[in-house]
Amino acid sequence: MRLDWQTYTLELAHPFRIAHGTSQTRTAVFVDLEGGLGEAAVVNYHGESVEAVAAYLEAARARLEDAPNSLQGRLARLPAGGSRAARAALEMALFDLWGQALGAPLWRLFGLDAGRAPPTSFTVAMGDPEEMASLARAAKMPVLKLKLGSAGDLARLEAVRAARPDARIRVDANGGWTLETARRLLPELVRLGVEFLEQPLPPEERAAYAELKGSLPLFADEPIKTVRDVVDWAPYVDGVVIKLAKSGGLAPARAMIEAARGLGLQVMLGCMVETRLAVGAAAHLAPLADHADLDGPLLIKNDPFEGLGYDGARLVLPRRPGLGITRR
């Protein structure tokens, strides 16, 4: 099978600061497998690199040469180890080809109702309180996700709440708090009407999450990469964040959603800073989720793809066959 890929620099609309660091650009690798498209997000704090993505794609190229002419047969040939983001990109491409062959968008082939996709939140990156308040006002989105995780977080949250008293607010600390900080801030989050708290502590402090449960729903993100992770974290949190780039693609992500449902966990379907290609792929699973954080394309200036729409916070799922995403 013909397999090509290219590295692409995503230019951010605003500097993107989280607890892991600040960036003004992000890197993506776009995959073209016989006309099926996919995207690998190169996120350093998830252990990804352009070199790791390329190595996985090279290994997959050889394995796909004589693969059975079926979705299941080709998926089985994908290398088991290595870059999860690269696997997700190839899986997107294979599902794209499958949907194109059947002449229908993936959400329809999955038996889902596109109208049941939850509204997406809009991410406000960490900054000075006044800067975050200004971004929140300008966004005019009903659901905001604030990136926190350092000193001065309460002032940031209060500034955004004052600027947007009408907004539904969620907080993501990206593991940047200590247990003491989390204990101190939780009552303030409740007072300010925060809906839920994502990844307050580093993943290695899982047991400490049990001490925080009760006053506000807790979600785990960074450590949730497999079904096993969903099971292991279930006693400590109220929900999990599932992303294609972490899980390795649509099929693993759907299995994780089903596991979370069986364990009584809420599900938020998220994304990295990605284009409409990867986020559009994830959106096909959005009707299965309680919450969506699929705003990646809204954070970048040079998205080369189209097909996923935004009507305010409402996701307008692709209607074309397969992923339904095409180059502009």
Side-chain angles (χ1 to χ4, degrees):
M1 299 184 72
R2 176 182 59 81
L3 174 59
D4 302 309
W5 61 87
Q6 68 173 121
T7 302
Y8 188 83
T9 300
L10 305 176
E11 300 173 2
L12 305 188
H14 304 281
F16 196 75
R17 181 185 174 198
I18 62 175
H20 298 295
T22 304
S23 55
Q24 294 187 327
T25 62
R26 289 290 181 95
T27 301
V29 177
F30 300 141
V31 168
D32 184 332
L33 180 66
E34 294 286 352
L37 303 179
E39 176 179 351
V42 182
V43 181
N44 295 332
Y45 61 84
H46 279 294
E48 298 286 357
S49 66
V50 171
E51 294 75 18
V53 170
Y56 186 97
L57 296 175
E58 287 286 4
R61 190 206 303 270
R63 294 175 61 89
L64 288 170
E65 282 182 358
D66 61 346
N69 188 20
S70 67
L71 175 61
Q72 186 176 21
R74 290 169 175 171
L75 289 175
R77 289 294 181 88
L78 297 182
S83 167
R84 289 180 181 274
R87 188 196 185 283
L90 277 177
E91 208 214 45
M92 290 176 207
L94 288 171
F95 271 96
D96 194 15
L97 289 173
W98 178 64
Q100 290 177 34
L102 295 176
L106 294 183
W107 57 265
R108 182 167 293 155
L109 295 173
F110 293 158
L112 303 178
D113 178 356
R116 293 177 65 90
T120 183
S121 56
F122 179 81
T123 302
V124 178
M126 193 188 307
D128 294 335
E130 297 78 12
E131 178 185 7
M132 293 183 69
S134 177
L135 287 172
R137 275 192 297 267
K140 297 180 181 179
M141 295 283 273
V143 188
L144 301 176
K145 184 167 97 165
L146 308 190
K147 290 289 190 178
L148 303 180
S150 69
D153 280 345
L154 180 56
R156 295 183 176 103
L157 177 56
E158 288 181 323
V160 172
R161 174 51 81 198
R164 288 294 308 278
D166 59 319
R168 296 164 56 191
I169 293 179
R170 300 156 183 179
V171 164
D172 181 6
N174 283 116
W177 290 347
T178 64
L179 180 58
E180 179 183 356
T181 300
R183 285 178 180 145
R184 174 173 56 82
L185 290 179
L186 264 174
E188 302 296 336
L189 268 59
V190 173
R191 175 178 66 84
L192 291 166
V194 171
E195 287 189 334
F196 57 76
L197 173 60
E198 184 181 333
Q199 204 67 47
L201 310 176
E204 57 269 23
E205 297 182 23
R206 183 172 67 192
Y209 279 72
E211 298 186 38
L212 302 178
K213 282 190 71 175
S215 59
L216 199 66
L218 300 178
F219 279 66
D221 176 10
E222 276 84 346
I224 307 300
K225 299 177 180 180
T226 67
V227 169
R228 180 75 256 175
D229 297 328
V230 174
V231 173
D232 289 345
W233 276 81
Y236 303 97
V237 294
D238 304 285
V240 290
V241 182
I242 296 173
K243 300 175 182 176
L244 301 193
K246 289 189 305 172
S247 66
L250 287 154
R254 186 163 187 174
M256 292 166 66
I257 291 171
E258 292 172 355
R261 289 282 180 242
L263 293 164
L265 296 173
Q266 295 183 58
V267 171
M268 181 159 73
L269 191 63
C271 65
M272 306 301 180
V273 179
E274 296 166 312
T275 73
R276 280 171 170 79
L277 178 51
V279 177
H284 287 282
L285 295 178
L288 296 173
D290 301 291
H291 312 285
D293 181 32
L294 297 175
D295 63 337
L298 304 180
L299 305 177
I300 60 180
K301 297 188 295 185
N302 60 335
D303 188 343
F305 296 98
E306 62 184 3
L308 173 67
Y310 293 88
D311 180 10
R314 185 175 71 88
L315 295 166
V316 183
L317 270 58
R319 297 282 172 172
R320 301 188 187 100
L323 294 181
I325 305 298
T326 59
R327 289 186 177 273
R328 294 185 185 278

